[in-house]
Amino acid sequence: MTEVELKSGGPASRPLSPHLQIYRPTLTMTMSIVHRITGAALYGGTLLLAWFLISAASGPGAFAAASHVVSSFFGKLVLFGFTWALFHHLLGGVRHLIWDLGYGLDDPEREWLAWATLIGGIALTLLVWVCVALRA
């Protein structure tokens, strides 16, 4: 049996997790962290979307105010970030589904899926915004 370094000072001592002191950051680790961050960001973006839809149902004055905020530079920047977070989180979920099915867990496939998540999220975001710009 190996010795385990225990955290002292409390009644319930437990092993210390090696976390970032031992592991060097990898793309897969970074994508996992970004997946969690985008998931949290989607909550805020969904609240903004709900605010916009409620303002549309509330009347012309409320909708004009919401439209002014959304069409500003800052509003478009937030919408762009929300779009990227949505696609990145979606593709991260697909990546995790592939892993849950038992595929893509080996080294080259795992890194390829991480790159596909990163590039795919950026590409889909740009595609949506280019289509919107061409339509306007």
Side-chain angles (χ1 to χ4, degrees), residues 23-41:
Y23 301 117
R24 66 176 176 81
T26 63
L27 181 62
T28 307
M29 180 189 302
T30 305
M31 289 297 100
S32 177
I33 294 167
V34 172
H35 182 76
R36 293 163 198 246
I37 292 169
T38 56

Side-chain angles (χ1 to χ4, degrees), residues 27 31 34 80-81 83-89 91-92 114-130:
L27 181 62
M31 289 297 100
V34 172
F80 186 83
T83 308
W84 174 78
L86 186 64
F87 282 125
H88 183 82
H89 198 76
L91 294 177
W115 278 107
T117 301
L118 180 63
I119 294 169
I122 293 169
L124 287 172
T125 301
L126 292 176
L127 179 67
V128 165
W129 280 79
V130 165

